Amino acid sequence: MESQALKELIKQGLAADKAGSKIGAESTADIQNNASHPDLLALLDKGNTTSKEWAQRIDRAITEVGGVAERPNEVLEAHYRVSKEISSEAQTDEVRDLGIIASGQLALHYWIASFGTLKAYAEAVGLSQTAREMQASVEEAKQLDEEFTALAQKMLAVK
């Protein structure tokens, strides 16, 4: 496979992730304003801190590939719209919190897939810093996903 063509694909992925990071930052206040469970609020705060680190890693990867053109991230834009609808239509605080967890996990699975794919592609073309940083992000996203699952199970057990 031609290395330069794969690098262009990596650039496209990084541009989409940069746009996705901006969407995530914009959505954080809405999500935290809608959550009520104290453990969920703490987990959302942790996720927000982690996503800031991801944004920095994405920026470093963009530097390593020589820059990228801006592009939208329609997947995360649509996901954010749907998650707002879920929150606004929830009939109880508990259901809203569980909806926030579900939406958060869907977003985390996007990031796991994106970071994992970029890591593999970066390795293939010798972008070792990007590969390492994408792997670190994958591991953090998986850990957050596990914490969201545990919280949902805890909340459901109380019922």
Side-chain angles (χ1 to χ4, degrees):
M1 174 176 297
E2 186 184 329
S3 176
Q4 189 55 40
L6 187 52
K7 282 184 183 177
E8 287 303 314
L9 184 59
I10 293 167
K11 286 182 175 187
Q12 292 171 1
L14 290 169
D17 282 355
K18 181 156 183 80
S21 288
K22 290 178 183 176
I23 294 163
E26 292 170 10
S27 67
T28 298
D30 283 346
I31 293 166
Q32 288 180 315
N33 285 337
N34 289 327
S36 62
H37 194 285
D39 292 345
L40 177 56
L41 288 165
L43 189 51
L44 291 169
D45 189 50
K46 179 181 179 179
N48 185 39
T49 300
T50 302
S51 67
K52 289 177 183 175
E53 177 60 32
W54 294 346
Q56 292 172 356
R57 289 179 185 146
I58 291 165
D59 285 340
R60 288 191 293 268
I62 288 170
T63 299
E64 188 175 23
V65 299
V68 299
E70 276 193 43
R71 71 181 306 137
N73 188 318
E74 294 176 11
V75 170
L76 288 180
E77 288 171 5
H79 175 68
Y80 178 46
R81 281 192 308 275
V82 170
S83 68
K84 283 173 48 172
E85 289 174 18
I86 290 169
S87 285
S88 70
E89 295 173 8
Q91 295 180 5
T92 67
D93 288 346
E94 293 82 13
V95 169
R96 181 177 298 106
D97 286 348
L98 289 167
I100 289 169
I101 291 170
S103 292
Q105 289 187 287
L106 286 171
L108 285 168
H109 285 254
Y110 166 89
W111 289 112
I112 291 166
S114 181
F115 291 144
T117 299
L118 288 171
K119 177 225 179 223
Y121 294 172
E123 283 178 336
V125 296
L127 297 169
S128 57
Q129 176 186 331
T130 295
R132 280 190 308 274
E133 295 205 288
M134 294 300 108
Q135 180 59 38
S137 297
V138 166
E139 291 168 11
E140 291 165 349
K142 287 180 178 180
Q143 177 61 39
L144 283 168
D145 181 55
E146 289 175 10
E147 291 178 42
F148 273 115
T149 296
L151 178 55
Q153 290 170 338
K154 176 183 170 181
M155 290 171 64
L156 290 167
V158 171
K159 301 230 171 255

